[in-house]
Structure formats: structure tokens, C-alpha cells
Amino acid sequence: MKKRIAALFMAVVLALQIVGCGAKNDQNTDTQTQSTQSSIKDNFHSVKPDKDNDEAQEKPNTDETDEVDEENTEVRYQDDYYEFVNQNLLSKIELAATDAHWDWFGELNAVVSSEMEDIIDELANDGKQYEKGSSEQKIKDMYECVTNMENRSQTGLGPLKPHMDSIRNASSIEEYVDALAHLSGEFGFSSIVGGYSIMQDKADSSEYAVYMMYADTLIGKEYIEGENTQEYVDLYLDYINDMLMEFGMTASEAAASTDSIEKLLRDICASTLTTEQKYDPSITYNVYTVQDLQGLYTNVDVPKMLKTLRVDGQDKYIVMDVEQAKKINSLLVEENLQALKDYSTFVMLNDTAEYANANYAKLSDDMQNALYGITESWGDEKTWKKLTQDMLPWDFGMIYVKEHFSAKDKEAVEEMIEQILEEYEEIINRQEWMSEATRKKA
């Protein structure tokens, strides 16, 4: 019954959010542990927690109780509490060669993704013409577009090519920044500067604010600076080199560009917040006016950049990583122009690889698999179907709810939510450290 309820709740999540995406923090509702362990979340991530798990795996018997036997356990709770609580469960899980990790929502997601693939198969082979603008028409056409590798090769970067040309042909830092701003303002791509996001103001949720985002640190600060991750960094640098050669550079040009990209990357990462710091609002919530931003980015015409980004005229802008912004500003000098252009070139190629020709797509897929410890690729068909799902989440969601989520299912989920709210109320009311007014507000 618990698994049924979890499946129903997952259907709601998928209907309201991005269809096909794995959850990061999923609670094991089937495993019963001692009362002191009841709040532990039973996730298992073999390498990274953000890789979608859309491949069915051999799973443990989730109807059995996984009690922790303190007498026979190999791990002491004071050494590794997570491992202590979850080791019985984890010992039963066998990852498939195509999987990066396993968790309970991932298991449900594999089932849902399979049902999504059935929707694609049905639409692709029914021979029907659907009304223009309908979910069925968009999915059918998108799948046909995704699977047409010949057309993808001929299209290349498509509407992004003029922006790539602007970046490559920039003869000054001003022209380079302007090219990045036009690209970000129109398509949302960002690499060094000009990235932004409009989100709820973390100091006042009734308002929205413009957040100036981080530079793209590619493989990431943790890999770049990790003592035991340099092997992966070397693999990633080879990947950069291969992508630039696929772009058309000669072997010597690609090697030189890769070296300059690495130098910039290590310099940027040295001034970038750690993962833990990024979750600390006292560090990431920094309010700037336009004048303040101009003082931060002295090598950029900030009013012009904000206007090109279409976010000018705001009373405040939130800078999330001030030290990185200072570093970026120091790098925006003419002597670094070619290296900066190469950096942004690779970022665009990397960001669009899964939509590009077969060579780009394979290079990207092989790199991701190496980072996540995956030893076997999904194959073209599953990759194409996953890409189609990712491109049209709301359209898949509407069809999925219509075919797989009944009124009875909705009632079951609403009942579950009521139970969760009641439990929270009981927990809050038991907190002696709260005043009556605080408990009522909570």
C-alpha cells in the first residue's frame, strides 16, 4: 500500500513539474527502522546525485522489513550513520550498467519513463494528423525532429550560429561581452558573464528579483581542486580538446585552446564558492544597485549589458558569488580575449551537444558516462525518447495524467498529503522550545 501511495504521489509530482526528471532527495517509505532512525532518507547515489535514473534495475524485495541488527552490523553508527541505517537495503541493490545511482523515486521514475516512451511509440506510429498546437502534434513532431540525425547534422548550431560567430569574431572585450549578453538575453546561454535568473526574492517572497548567476565552471570546483579527482579532470580536458577539433580546429589549435581554457578554469574555480557556501544565504544574498554592479564589473559597460539582457531598470540585483565576480572582472582584459572566446565557444558546444550531430552527442554522452561511472550507454532510441520528454515536459504531463492518473488516484494522494500535514502539526505542537504563538504560526 505504501508503495502504491508513493507511486501516486510521484505521478502528481511528474504532472506538475518536469516529466522525466529524477528527484534528488527521496524518502524510503518501505523500510522500517528504529524510532531514532525514522527521519533518515534512504537514497543511494553511486557517483553523483543529479543523474536521471530512467533504466529499470534489479531491486530488493521492498515488502520485507530492513531492521538494523546492531549486533551483526559491519558499520558502527558513530562512524557512518547513513551507512549504518541503510546497509541492509544497499546490500541488496545491483546497479545496471546504464545506471549512475538508485533511489526510490528513481525506481518509480523508471516505470513512469517507460510509460512515456509508450506514448511516444503510439504517436509516432499511429499515422494520424493532430491539431496544430496540440500536445500530441508537438510530441510527434519533436520526436521526428530528434531522430532525424541527418537533418541535425545539416542544421548544425542553427539560430545559435550568428551568436557563435559574434563571439568568435569579437575584436575587443567590449564586443565579446556584448556578444555574450545578446546570446544570454535571447537564449539564456551563459559562460563567463551575463548569466542571470529571475527568481523570488529570498528576503521578500512576495517579490521577484534578478539574480546574477555564476560563471560556468564546467566540470566544477570540487573536481578541479580535489586531490583524488585529477584523473577525471584529465578526461574532461581531453573532452574539451575533442569538442574543439569537432568544431573545426586543427590539433595544434585545439591543444592550445584547451590549455588556455584550463588556465582560466582553474583561476575561476579558485575564487568560486564551495557547494556548502552556495546554500548559505548570508553569503549568496548580496544586494547591488546598477552603480554597485558597475563598481564590481569595472571592465564592463554594465548599463549596456543589463539593457541587452532585458533586465535593466531594476532597483536591485542579487550577486550570488561576489568573489567570483571580482575574479571574472579581472580576467576581462584584452590579453585574455582569445582564451575567453575559446572558453565561451566550448561552453556553447557543450550545452548544445545533445541536440547536435551524432559526433557531438557521442562525445558528450561518453564524458557524462565516465563522470558518473556508467559503463553502458542507453542507446539511440532511449536517448531520443528521453530528449523528447525533456523538451516537452508539460505536454507529456497532460497526456500522462489523462491516461495514468485517475480521480481515485488523486483522492489517494490528497489523503496522503492530509496525513503528512497532520503529522507535521503534531510534531510542531510537541516542540517545547517554541512559544504558543510560534507554534501557531508554524
Side-chain angles (χ1 to χ4, degrees):
M1 177 62 182
K2 290 181 180 179
K3 188 171 182 181
R4 170 64 173 163
I5 293 293
L8 296 177
F9 185 68
M10 182 62 173
V12 172
V13 173
L14 290 170
L16 297 178
Q17 299 182 7
I18 297 179
V19 177
C21 287
K24 293 183 181 178
N25 296 303
D26 314 312
Q27 187 165 7
N28 168 18
T29 57
D30 292 65
T31 301
Q32 298 176 354
T33 59
Q34 298 173 3
S35 60
T36 57
Q37 301 148 357
S38 60
S39 65
I40 301 300
K41 294 183 178 180
D42 290 318
N43 288 352
F44 177 54
H45 302 295
S46 61
V47 179
K48 279 195 170 184
D50 58 355
K51 180 71 173 175
D52 289 336
N53 180 18
D54 292 312
E55 187 73 23
Q57 307 144 345
E58 184 175 345
K59 300 300 186 303
N61 182 355
T62 55
D63 294 326
E64 296 178 359
T65 298
D66 287 307
E67 294 286 357
V68 176
D69 184 351
E70 295 192 37
E71 296 293 329
N72 299 320
T73 184
E74 296 179 3
V75 180
R76 303 189 311 163
Y77 68 86
Q78 59 266 50
D79 294 333
D80 190 330
Y81 194 54
Y82 174 87
E83 186 74 18
F84 171 77
V85 171
N86 296 306
Q87 60 187 305
N88 290 340
L89 170 66
L90 300 183
S91 67
K92 299 175 183 179
I93 297 169
E94 294 183 17
L95 290 179
T98 53
D99 293 325
H101 75 280
W102 177 87
D103 57 40
W104 291 109
F105 268 63
E107 181 178 346
L108 293 172
N109 193 47
V111 175
V112 172
S113 183
S114 177
E115 292 168 337
M116 299 288 192
E117 291 175 8
D118 291 341
I119 292 173
I120 295 174
D121 285 334
E122 182 178 348
L123 292 174
N125 298 307
D126 63 9
K128 297 180 181 178
Q129 292 288 331
Y130 292 95
E131 181 182 353
K132 186 176 177 61
S134 66
S135 295
E136 290 83 358
Q137 174 262 317
K138 287 190 281 187
I139 292 172
K140 191 182 184 82
D141 289 356
M142 180 60 71
Y143 182 63
E144 182 179 345
C145 179
V146 166
T147 57
N148 190 339
M149 296 306 296
E150 181 179 353
N151 182 62
R152 284 168 60 172
S153 295
Q154 292 175 352
T155 301
L157 287 170
L160 289 172
K161 189 178 185 306
H163 293 278
M164 177 67 89
D165 292 341
S166 294
I167 292 171
R168 298 299 299 168
N169 296 329
S171 60
S172 66
I173 290 296
E174 181 181 0
E175 290 183 7
Y176 168 72
V177 172
D178 195 47
L180 295 187
H182 276 95
L183 175 62
S184 181
E186 185 171 351
F187 290 102
F189 285 97
S190 178
S191 51
I192 292 288
V193 69
Y196 73 94
S197 179
I198 298 176
M199 301 184 291
Q200 278 185 310
D201 191 326
K202 292 181 180 179
D204 182 358
S205 61
S206 67
E207 296 184 354
Y208 284 85
V210 178
Y211 285 75
M212 307 307 291
M213 302 301 289
Y214 315 102
D216 190 328
T217 55
L218 310 184
I219 194 174
K221 178 183 178 76
E222 283 70 26
Y223 276 99
I224 289 296
E225 299 181 346
E227 293 182 3
N228 302 315
T229 55
Q230 293 311 301
E231 177 184 354
Y232 291 99
V233 175
D234 290 340
L235 285 173
Y236 199 86
L237 293 174
D238 288 341
Y239 167 60
I240 293 175
N241 186 85
D242 292 343
M243 290 287 277
L244 294 177
M245 288 186 65
E246 180 64 27
F247 180 63
M249 290 187 184
T250 65
S252 60
E253 289 172 340
S257 295
T258 300
D259 288 343
S260 63
I261 289 171
E262 180 187 5
K263 186 176 183 300
L264 282 180
L265 177 60
R266 291 189 181 277
D267 211 2
I268 293 169
C269 284
S271 300
T272 296
L273 295 175
T274 65
T275 300
E276 292 80 8
Q277 289 173 323
K278 289 179 180 179
Y279 287 93
D280 186 343
S282 68
I283 297 175
T284 60
Y285 190 82
N286 305 287
V287 177
Y288 279 68
T289 63
V290 175
Q291 291 73 24
D292 294 333
L293 279 179
Q294 186 62 78
L296 183 63
Y297 290 106
T298 58
N299 293 324
V300 174
D301 183 340
V302 169
K304 180 182 179 182
M305 180 180 73
L306 295 177
K307 186 174 182 179
T308 303
L309 293 172
R310 305 173 192 174
V311 292
D312 55 317
Q314 303 302 308
D315 295 330
K316 65 180 179 181
Y317 299 86
I318 312 302
V319 177
M320 301 182 69
D321 193 336
V322 174
E323 291 306 312
Q324 188 198 74
K326 292 177 181 178
K327 171 57 68 175
I328 293 299
N329 182 64
S330 72
L331 295 173
L332 290 170
V333 293
E334 298 299 328
E335 63 190 71
N336 290 330
L337 180 59
Q338 187 58 53
L340 291 165
K341 290 176 0 180
D342 289 343
Y343 197 103
S344 295
T345 295
F346 169 73
V347 170
M348 189 190 292
L349 295 176
N350 184 50
D351 286 349
T352 59
E354 63 179 331
Y355 318 110
N357 67 38
N359 292 340
Y360 281 123
K362 187 177 188 310
L363 285 171
S364 176
D365 188 52
D366 288 347
M367 186 67 253
Q368 293 298 312
N369 289 347
L371 289 178
Y372 296 146
I374 297 174
T375 58
E376 184 179 317
S377 295
W378 284 341
D380 288 343
E381 278 297 327
K382 191 168 186 65
T383 299
W384 293 335
K385 288 175 180 177
K386 177 66 172 60
L387 185 56
T388 304
Q389 292 177 40
D390 289 346
M391 299 282 273
L392 298 168
W394 289 104
D395 295 286
F396 273 98
M398 287 187 285
I399 295 176
Y400 182 85
V401 168
K402 194 186 311 178
E403 295 186 3
H404 298 283
F405 194 71
S406 67
K408 185 176 181 181
D409 292 334
K410 182 178 179 180
E411 290 176 5
V413 172
E414 290 175 341
E415 181 181 346
M416 180 186 68
I417 292 171
E418 281 298 318
Q419 292 174 353
I420 292 172
L421 293 175
E422 289 172 4
E423 182 64 24
Y424 268 118
E425 185 175 355
E426 290 184 16
I427 292 172
I428 290 169
N429 285 330
R430 289 199 301 266
Q431 306 310 307
E432 296 181 358
W433 61 271
M434 287 184 178
S435 68
E436 181 61 30
T438 301
R439 281 197 295 269
K440 191 172 184 179
K441 184 70 174 176

